[in-house]
Amino acid sequence: LFAFAVSAQHDTARISRTESIKLNYENDYFTGTDIYYTQGIKLELVFPFLRYSPIMFLLPRLSNSITQYEINFDQDCFTPTSITVDSIQHGDRPYSGYIYLGNVKTSTREDKKQKLEAEVDVGTLGKCAVCEQEQKMIHRWINDRQPDGWKYQTASEVMVNYRLKCEKGILNDTSFDMRGYGQVEAGNIYDNVILGGALRLGKMQRYFAGNRTRKFQLYTFLGGWAEGVGYNATLQGALF
């Protein structure tokens, strides 16, 4: 069972010493396509002092855990099957994009092989995500065809989304581990439920260790999940 707490409660929770900066960039240019999920940029900052973010106090954590604090900046952009059609493509994914600031609190208990991720994202869907300008600029740089349909992108809307992910270890070792998880997202962009599992094989830190103990890791992983979707604003448009 998962025992939850809030930051004001008195338990033996500790703060993770992990500090990191990670930048991730994804673009379907690398696969020679322009379809569906076309670009993603994410900057992740993990530092103990981020616990002072006001939103962090609203997020739950596991009792008697080691807690990590993260703030991330994320932009995701989407296009339909063809970017050269200058009209609404009925039955296809619309042009869409969002940009947001996320607060993430991750608490782990190695003794019980448990991890809880709680996240609140606040941003915007639509033109303010500047996906149109970025895609056109990149296509000019690489001398590629210009997208013609961004004028039909989903309507603009303020974005507020909440995510809660619970993980439970089945096997937990430095050479092989296996875990299952459940996740719920709720808000005006995504509403869904996910059940899944994953395994890793290689030379690595124990997955449920709250602090980084290995400077070098090398492993392969495999995962799968089933998802029930209630609402997806990047497909169905703004909720309000």
Side-chain angles (χ1 to χ4, degrees):
L1 295 177
F2 285 81
F4 299 99
V6 294
S7 298
Q9 289 183 330
H10 299 287
D11 58 27
T12 58
R14 292 160 290 164
I15 298 171
S16 171
R17 299 187 302 272
T18 301
E19 298 182 350
S20 67
I21 299 175
K22 180 181 178 181
L23 177 63
N24 187 65
Y25 180 74
E26 299 172 332
N27 194 303
D28 56 7
Y29 167 76
F30 301 117
T31 59
T33 61
D34 269 304
I35 180 173
Y36 302 153
Y37 174 54
T38 190
Q39 178 178 273
I41 305 172
K42 189 170 188 178
L43 175 64
E44 301 174 2
L45 308 175
V46 177
F47 291 97
F49 71 84
L50 295 176
R51 67 186 183 276
Y52 297 115
S53 167
I55 295 179
M56 295 295 186
F57 292 96
L58 305 176
L59 299 176
R61 58 171 169 76
L62 296 175
S63 299
N64 305 316
S65 61
I66 297 178
T67 306
Q68 176 181 288
Y69 299 89
E70 173 188 332
I71 286 181
N72 57 60
F73 305 86
D74 193 298
Q75 180 204 51
D76 290 331
C77 304
F78 306 88
T79 60
T81 305
S82 174
I83 65 171
T84 59
V85 177
D86 189 7
S87 64
I88 296 175
Q89 300 178 53
H90 297 284
D92 204 342
R93 169 183 276 282
Y95 286 85
S96 185
Y98 54 73
I99 190 168
Y100 67 80
L101 173 69
N103 282 250
V104 187
K105 180 187 286 186
T106 303
S107 52
T108 58
R109 287 197 59 171
E110 187 170 14
D111 60 332
K112 292 192 174 184
K113 301 182 180 66
Q114 295 176 350
K115 177 180 286 191
L116 176 70
E117 289 184 16
E119 178 174 1
V120 170
D121 302 325
V122 179
T124 181
L125 170 78
K127 292 183 178 180
C128 291
V130 300
C131 287
E132 175 183 2
Q133 295 87 333
E134 287 187 10
Q135 187 177 43
K136 289 181 176 179
M137 178 181 64
I138 292 172
H139 280 224
R140 284 195 298 269
W141 288 350
I142 63 177
N143 196 29
D144 200 357
R145 63 191 186 280
Q146 286 292 311
D148 293 323
W150 274 106
K151 63 176 73 69
Y152 307 110
Q153 69 178 294
T154 52
S156 296
E157 183 177 45
V158 172
M159 170 184 179
V160 180
N161 239 75
Y162 179 79
R163 180 178 66 89
L164 191 67
K165 182 179 182 181
C166 299
E167 297 182 84
K168 175 64 177 177
I170 301 170
L171 295 172
N172 188 35
D173 192 63
T174 57
S175 58
F176 178 77
D177 62 39
M178 181 184 300
R179 65 189 184 275
Y181 63 86
Q183 176 175 293
V184 176
E185 284 189 277
N188 65 328
I189 304 299
Y190 293 119
D191 292 285
N192 57 47
V193 177
I194 297 174
L195 293 175
L199 58 86
R200 301 187 303 169
L201 177 66
K203 181 180 176 61
M204 59 213 175
Q205 175 176 305
R206 293 182 187 275
Y207 185 77
F208 293 96
N211 288 300
R212 180 176 296 175
T213 56
R214 284 182 177 267
K215 294 184 178 180
F216 176 79
Q217 300 183 73
L218 179 64
Y219 59 86
T220 184
F221 65 92
L222 177 68
W225 67 91
E227 181 173 358
V229 178
Y231 193 81
N232 184 335
T234 71
L235 286 170
Q236 299 167 263
L239 185 61
F240 301 108

